[in-house]
Amino acid sequence: MTILAKPRVDERVELLSIVFRLAGAQEFSSTQFKRYTDNIERHFGAYKNHELISYIKKIRKENGIGYDAVMKMAVHLGPAPGFKPLVKLSDSVPEKRWKMEKAQEFIRLLGKFYKDSRADVFFKANADIYKEVSQRFLTIYDQLDLNWYKDFYGKSPKEKFIIINGVGNGGGNYGPDIFYKDGKREVYAIMGTWTIDSTGMARFDLRDYFPTLLHEFNHSFVNYLTDQNPSRFEKNGQVIYKAVQEQMSGQAYAGWQTMISEALVRAAVIKYMKDHSFDKQAIDREILEQLDRGFLWINELLIELEKYDQQRDRYPTLESYLPNLILAYHDYAQNISVYQNRFEQQRPKVTSIDEFANNSKNVDPAIHSITINFDRPLFGKGYSINLTDKGKDAFPKISKVSYSKDNTSIILETALEKGKEYEFELSGRSFKSVDQVPIKNFVVSFNTTP
């Protein structure tokens, strides 16, 4: 019988998030929940040169350990301060990027860091924040219909489902699992915290968090399908991945197999939303987000899942329908360029910048505004302007952002310095067409004259 545990904070998850933050891992460096991340900096800032942090930097460089590999390790560890693995590492190294000897050394140093930094003091001091975060997340938890998973996938889940609030993870969400020798399995949905209310406390809106929760639990029903049948997806998967590699790499999806699992998980989220009568606007928004993320065949894959669900007498489980999905991917591979062109035509596009040409090296530092023009009206609410890899030093001082009267331009009021390199990125999170189609992220780059 499936058990769905109520949301909670897990010190193992928080600790690993913290130590990778200290090592400079971008994916664990969010400051969106400032009340909490400031506490991290105050308590742990003095330990950025600890030998554990130096070791993390080394293994990130050598083995690319980050993102989900970090969270997979977290759920495989026993309690502090020993962190004895819950299963033998020789039987189940949590993730292929971890090598046996590196995992062992990491665990040893983690225990030392825990004691040296007095991490237990930090966790006790933040207990009220943890309690409040998990209490607030109950509004999301209460909406989850686990019976749908059994009905849709055609198999009764036997796993224990565990929801963890990743308080310091920002927008990072993960779905690791752990297998025990007795056959038991725990499936985690580690949910980040990326929206804050006017008091500085975490806020969990259904439209922002619920699809992500659905997503993480879908993984336990989907991943094994592609894991057990890689050769049957490989040829078409490679064709598609080559076409969308930029978007996939940006989400840390390093290969075609991960991409195919992710696509099926995301289509299943939309199917859940339709089966539970979510409003059309919410469903359309979810579809557009997936198109923007590079899953350009999501509409066709959703149609395929509808076909499966309409023939359950013939296909009792999604696994029994797998040959049809494999055939469908042949069509997706053949038509991937068509899907790309179709979506790109819907996107608003930057046409010009009034004050200078993008990538100019001689911009007048005396200008006080940057006007960016689009080929069609934008929705005209909110804005999303991000740092690039060049960081805060290259980000201009922006005092105000506004739209032109016809919403075809955005105007940034700025104060520039002489002889400086500037760069920032407009993202599709807020900059969208009237029909809510996001722009493709656009980098504005320029240098001012001395």
Side-chain angles (χ1 to χ4, degrees), residues 356 359-367 370 387 390-398 414-424 444-450:
F356 54 85
N359 300 309
S360 292
K361 303 298 181 184
N362 58 349
V363 173
D364 183 353
I367 66 172
I370 300 173
L387 302 177
K390 294 184 179 178
K392 293 181 180 178
D393 288 342
F395 197 81
K397 293 180 181 178
I398 300 174
T414 61
L416 304 178
E417 299 177 26
K418 296 179 180 180
K420 188 169 181 180
E421 179 182 34
Y422 288 101
E423 188 172 278
F424 58 90
V444 176
S445 183
F446 61 95
N447 289 54
T448 53
T449 55

Side-chain angles (χ1 to χ4, degrees), residues 107-266:
I107 294 169
R108 183 186 74 80
L109 290 173
L110 185 67
K112 188 173 188 303
F113 177 88
Y114 185 89
K115 294 176 182 177
D116 292 346
S117 67
R118 299 177 301 116
D120 58 328
V121 174
F122 173 82
F123 291 130
K124 288 176 183 176
N126 286 275
D128 288 344
I129 288 180
Y130 298 152
K131 182 179 179 181
E132 178 69 14
V133 166
S134 294
Q135 181 67 30
R136 290 186 172 209
F137 198 83
L138 285 174
T139 58
I140 309 299
Y141 163 88
D142 289 340
Q143 296 295 317
L144 190 62
D145 175 16
L146 276 184
N147 289 326
W148 179 87
Y149 290 90
K150 173 176 64 70
D151 294 339
F152 178 71
Y153 289 103
K155 53 177 285 190
S156 296
K158 299 177 181 177
E159 302 89 347
K160 180 179 181 181
F161 285 162
I162 302 171
I163 300 172
I164 300 297
N165 294 117
V167 188
N169 279 7
N173 305 284
Y174 305 93
D177 57 9
I178 179 170
F179 288 87
Y180 294 92
K181 269 193 169 183
D182 61 4
K184 292 181 181 177
R185 181 181 178 219
E186 293 177 345
V187 177
Y188 286 79
I190 299 176
M191 299 292 299
T193 307
W194 63 89
T195 49
I196 307 301
D197 68 15
S198 60
T199 70
M201 178 51 72
R203 184 188 78 244
F204 301 109
D205 293 333
L206 198 65
R207 61 172 281 181
D208 291 327
Y209 286 84
F210 192 63
T212 303
L213 181 60
L214 294 176
H215 176 117
E216 298 306 338
F217 281 144
N218 270 306
H219 272 296
S220 66
F221 295 89
V222 165
N223 286 16
Y224 82 98
L225 296 175
T226 52
D227 289 345
Q228 293 178 5
N229 297 275
S231 62
R232 302 171 74 186
F233 283 103
E234 184 172 6
K235 181 180 178 180
N236 295 316
Q238 287 179 339
V239 170
I240 297 171
Y241 189 82
K242 184 177 180 181
V244 296
Q245 186 169 357
E246 181 182 352
Q247 295 101 312
M248 294 300 143
S249 297
Q251 299 167 82
Y253 301 150
W256 65 267
Q257 192 169 342
T258 302
M259 175 196 73
I260 286 180
S261 292
E262 286 290 334
L264 188 51
V265 162
R266 291 161 191 267

Side-chain angles (χ1 to χ4, degrees), residues 394-405:
F395 197 81
K397 293 180 181 178
I398 300 174
S399 57
K400 183 180 178 181
V401 181
S402 59
Y403 288 85
S404 61
K405 288 184 178 180

Side-chain angles (χ1 to χ4, degrees), residues 73 76-78 82-89 92 103-104 107 178:
M73 174 60 82
H76 278 75
L77 297 177
F83 301 109
K84 182 179 178 181
L86 299 175
V87 295
K88 287 185 179 179
L89 291 181
S92 177
Q104 290 175 325
I107 294 169
I178 179 170

Side-chain angles (χ1 to χ4, degrees), residues 17-29 48 53 56-57 60:
S17 176
I18 288 166
V19 298
F20 274 77
R21 174 189 293 268
L22 297 177
Q26 181 273 333
E27 66 271 27
F28 293 105
S29 295
K48 290 181 179 179
I53 309 307
I56 290 173
K57 291 178 180 179
R60 277 178 65 78

